Amino acid sequence: MMSVTPIPALSDNYIWLLRQDTSQSVCVVDPGEAAPVIEFLERESLTLKSILITHHHHDHTGGLAELIKRYSPHVIGPANPNIEGIDETVGDGDEVRIMGRLFDVIATPGHTLDHISYFTAGIPALLFCGDTLFCAGCGRLFEGTPEQMFAALNKFAELPEDTLVFAAHEYTQANLTFARAADPENEDVKHALQECEKARALDRPTLPSTIGRELKINPYLRVGTDSVRQAAGTQGVNDTDLATFTTLREWKNRF
């Protein structure tokens, strides 16, 4: 059985650690800094075997150099020469085997042009989506287009609803606060925000989410609903699903 453990990093990042219960070898996803990873590995007497990278931003790659120097892991990531230390470049449709599980690589540009995500089917199915999909939200468009991000999110919407979603940031409370405005008739959003506030008051992670849960509470996955479309119409164009998504993303930027 594969377990996934959050390692808090920087101000609001999660570095995800993957481990098979019978092995001391582990994989981490998007190590924005090395120190918390090293501390965890040393405390638990674990060996860093591999690293998955979703995109080039420093808060996802900042710990690479130190971890490579210390542990010599196999580093897998997008074909971006700006990321130093990649051993194996992968893109859409590729497969990688991590801790005995086969992962599909999914191109998910939008937040950045090089962004990729990693999905493995099974029990449970796991999705490591970096800064593309957040609980009740999605990433800012720093390099890509609304069309690209919307297409990426639609890929996720087709995954099994019980897929566990491991996003890279603890943005849930802010995202749900926006979702209340963007989807005001949604009782699931109201309940989710109450649960989130309780968890954060205890300093507990609100992740992982699931695809099924996101389909109920994430306004960017609900652009075809009357509630979201009407709210978007107060802020901009909402005559198509893509236009509604674009309006929502621009609205959130200034929310």
Side-chain angles (χ1 to χ4, degrees):
M1 176 69 71
M2 178 174 283
S3 62
V4 184
T5 302
I7 301 177
L10 303 170
S11 62
D12 51 34
N13 282 66
Y14 289 126
I15 302 168
W16 297 106
L17 182 141
L18 288 63
R19 179 184 182 187
Q20 289 287 11
D21 293 340
T22 58
S23 174
Q24 295 301 104
S25 297
V26 301
C27 171
V28 297
V29 183
D30 284 350
E33 60 178 338
V37 176
I38 293 170
E39 191 276 333
F40 189 95
L41 296 176
E42 298 300 312
R43 186 178 71 243
E44 302 293 329
S45 299
L46 301 173
T47 300
L48 184 59
K49 182 78 170 180
S50 53
I51 296 175
L52 296 177
I53 299 295
T54 62
H55 65 292
H56 68 273
H57 282 167
H58 187 72
D59 64 324
H60 296 251
T61 62
L64 266 180
E66 188 172 350
L67 293 174
I68 290 170
K69 182 178 180 180
R70 189 179 184 107
Y71 300 106
S72 300
H74 183 68
V75 182
I76 301 168
N80 186 334
N82 293 318
I83 307 175
E84 295 185 4
I86 298 289
D87 298 304
E88 180 181 355
T89 58
V90 292
D92 194 52
D94 288 337
E95 295 178 332
V96 295
R97 188 169 294 276
I98 300 293
M99 304 288 104
R101 292 272 293 262
L102 195 63
F103 283 75
D104 295 320
V105 180
I106 307 171
T108 51
H111 179 67
T112 64
L113 294 177
D114 66 342
H115 203 297
I116 56 177
S117 300
Y118 301 89
F119 168 77
T120 179
I123 303 174
L126 312 173
L127 174 67
F128 296 91
C129 49
D131 285 0
T132 297
L133 176 66
F134 298 125
C135 183
C138 73
R140 285 178 178 265
L141 304 179
F142 286 115
E143 297 175 4
T145 65
E147 290 85 355
Q148 288 175 317
M149 180 64 88
F150 188 55
L153 295 178
N154 284 335
K155 291 180 183 179
F156 293 155
E158 295 174 357
L159 296 176
E161 290 194 9
D162 61 354
T163 300
L164 295 176
V165 177
F166 296 92
H169 289 274
E170 183 57 72
Y171 289 164
T172 308
Q173 191 166 355
N175 286 338
L176 284 168
T177 300
F178 173 71
R180 276 201 314 184
D183 198 358
E185 299 175 12
N186 190 333
E187 291 297 320
D188 290 319
V189 169
K190 296 176 184 177
H191 294 152
L193 182 56
Q194 292 172 356
E195 294 174 0
C196 172
E197 289 171 343
K198 292 177 182 178
R200 295 310 297 155
L202 297 171
D203 199 29
R204 293 176 180 170
T206 62
L207 300 169
S209 185
T210 67
I211 291 297
R213 185 168 185 251
E214 292 308 302
L215 291 171
K216 293 180 179 179
I217 67 172
N218 193 318
Y220 303 103
L221 296 177
R222 293 172 48 79
V223 293
T225 64
D226 290 341
S227 177
V228 173
R229 183 157 285 186
Q230 289 171 7
T234 68
Q235 302 294 320
V237 180
N238 68 343
D239 55 351
T240 66
D241 287 352
L242 175 59
T244 300
F245 168 80
T246 303
T247 295
L248 287 179
R249 185 57 264 183
E250 293 173 348
W251 182 12
K252 178 62 168 61
N253 291 344
R254 62 180 188 273
F255 186 78

